[in-house]
Every structure is written in C-alpha cells, then in structure tokens.
Amino acid sequence: MTARIAPSILSADFARLGEEVQAVVRAGADLVHFDVMDNHYVPNLTIGPLVCEAIRPVCTVPIDVHLMVKPVDPLVPAFAKAGASIISFHPEASEHVDRTIGLIKEAGCKAGLVLNPGTPLTWLDHVLDRLDLVLVMSVNPGFGGQSFIPEALRKLAAVRERIAGRDIWLEVDGGVKIDNIRAIADAGADTFVAGSAIFGTKDYAATIAAMRAELAAAAR
Ligand code: DX5
Ligand code: ZN
C-alpha cells in the first residue's frame, strides 16, 4: 500500500514554525497537516490562512488543511488562496455538506470529510464519490497529545469497506504513535496524521523512519 505520513504542526514550536515545517519535510513528511480551530466548533484557537500563506513558500509538500470551524464555507476560498492542497471539514459544522464539497473542488483543492469519534458513517451516504479523502478522528478534536480511541480501528475498517476500490485516501488523526501505527494501517488507514509523536521527539527523521518500518510490516 501507499502510506503517507502527515505531521501535524499543532505540536510544532510556533516561534520557529518555518524551520519546523522545513525540518519535517526534510525528515520525510508526505504532507503537512494544518489544524484550524476556532474556539467555537472546538474549544481551542489556532491558526488561519495568513499562517498557511506564510509557510507555503517553505513547504515543498502538499498542505493538508483540517478545518475545525463553524461556519466552514467562508474559509474555503481563503485557504485555497493561501496554498492549501487538501481541505477537510466536519459535516456537523456545515449547513450543506454537498455544497461545501463543491466549494472546495471549485477552489481547486481536494475535498475531505472528517468523522468525529461519535459521528456515524451515514454522512458518507450520497457524497462518498465526490470525496478525495475521508478523515477518521481517533480523538475528539481540539487538542494534540490525546490518547488514541480504540473504537477508531473498527470505524476505519468500516470506512475502508465503503471506499472499496475507489481512489479515496483514508486518513486517521489523533494519538497515532510508532507503537500503534501498524494496527491502524491493518485496520485500513493509508494516511497518518501524527503531531506529538513526531514533534515531541528530537530526531524527526528517525521517528518517521520508525513509523515507516512499522508500516512496511503491516498486513495490507
Ligand atoms: C486534534 C488535531 C490533530 C492533532 C493530533 O484535534 O486534529 O491533528 O494535532 O495530535 P496528536 O498526534 O498529538 O494526537
Ligand atoms: Zn487534525
């Protein structure tokens, strides 16, 4: 399988954000995961389009924007303009899910739908064929450094079954570490967000290499 590692800059040193982005890209990141929180949809406040635009010139891999905001739609063109490659959103935060997907695509980005731990798969009904990515949250959104919720493994397997042969990435976000990434891959994920597990270590390249070694041993 093709496995992608997406370090979440939520756990980076924001005082040196440009260097941190370059460091994880040099260390082998396939994407840079960009967590946008609004202190409304989630109880935390992070970064917006200005910061995305600022890191874009130093980021040689696609920027994977995870919108934890409500409303969603006004930020879609703003992040597309700021250099996002992928824009994912939570269906509960959008009044019209299909319309938001359309806005993301019209803006020239890949579209992802994010399922919280308590969000049912039925949100995928009718829109799955329009999606480029499904993101399964393995923690409740809002903070880095939380523990992986084991039920996410069953959810990933169920989403993988729905994706069947389609060219849709299956991303997982929250509590991904070297010691559980293989089981998560076995459940069906192909794209792995990891914040504290990478930025909390000294040698990003060694951590990403250890994750890849685990992924190489995964069954799928
Ligand atoms: C949580 C964010 C995650 C977070 C993951 O709401 O969406 O992307 O940064 O952090 P870790 O890998 O530390 O759980
Ligand atoms: Zn995220």
Side-chain angles (χ1 to χ4, degrees):
M1 81 168 186
T2 312
R4 296 167 210 93
I5 296 187
S8 162
I9 56 171
L10 186 61
S11 293
D13 177 355
F14 278 105
R16 300 186 300 108
L17 190 55
E19 287 165 44
E20 290 275 72
V21 167
Q22 285 171 299
V24 277
V25 170
R26 262 198 319 271
D30 298 292
L31 308 165
V32 161
H33 187 79
F34 192 104
D35 286 305
V36 185
M37 304 184 187
D38 68 349
N39 187 38
H40 172 67
Y41 179 65
V42 290
N44 199 356
L45 184 64
T46 60
I47 45 180
L50 276 177
V51 176
C52 186
E53 201 178 338
I55 64 165
R56 177 71 280 177
V58 300
C59 186
T60 51
V61 300
I63 301 178
D64 172 31
V65 171
H66 175 191
L67 294 179
M68 287 160 275
V69 302
K70 187 178 180 173
V72 180
D73 293 1
L75 283 178
V76 168
F79 271 103
K81 200 162 157 254
S85 295
I86 303 165
I87 299 179
S88 300
F89 69 99
H90 291 250
E92 302 93 335
S94 166
E95 298 293 340
H96 304 282
V97 170
D98 184 73
R99 179 180 291 159
T100 303
I101 294 169
L103 276 177
I104 296 171
K105 299 207 158 230
E106 278 161 31
C109 297
K110 291 187 172 174
L113 200 67
V114 192
L115 304 174
N116 280 335
T119 303
L121 266 53
T122 47
W123 282 104
L124 299 173
D125 293 350
H126 317 296
V127 296
L128 186 61
D129 283 316
R130 307 240 292 136
L131 295 173
D132 300 291
L133 177 150
V134 177
L135 171 51
V136 170
M137 291 305 298
S138 37
V139 297
N140 284 294
F143 302 94
Q146 304 180 78
S147 300
F148 186 89
I149 297 172
E151 172 64 18
L153 294 175
R154 294 207 302 155
K155 195 167 196 174
L156 284 164
V159 177
R160 172 55 68 193
E161 216 168 279
R162 284 210 185 194
I163 288 175
R166 296 175 179 86
D167 183 20
I168 299 174
W169 296 2
L170 179 50
E171 186 170 41
V172 61
D173 185 3
V176 176
K177 311 276 173 209
I178 294 168
D179 64 7
N180 62 9
I181 200 167
R182 193 200 298 196
I184 298 168
D186 285 340
D190 56 29
T191 305
F192 305 84
V193 176
S196 50
I198 293 174
F199 285 103
T201 58
K202 278 215 154 57
D203 186 342
Y204 304 160
T207 305
I208 291 175
M211 288 178 165
R212 287 205 200 280
E214 287 292 321
L215 290 169
R220 312 180 48 253

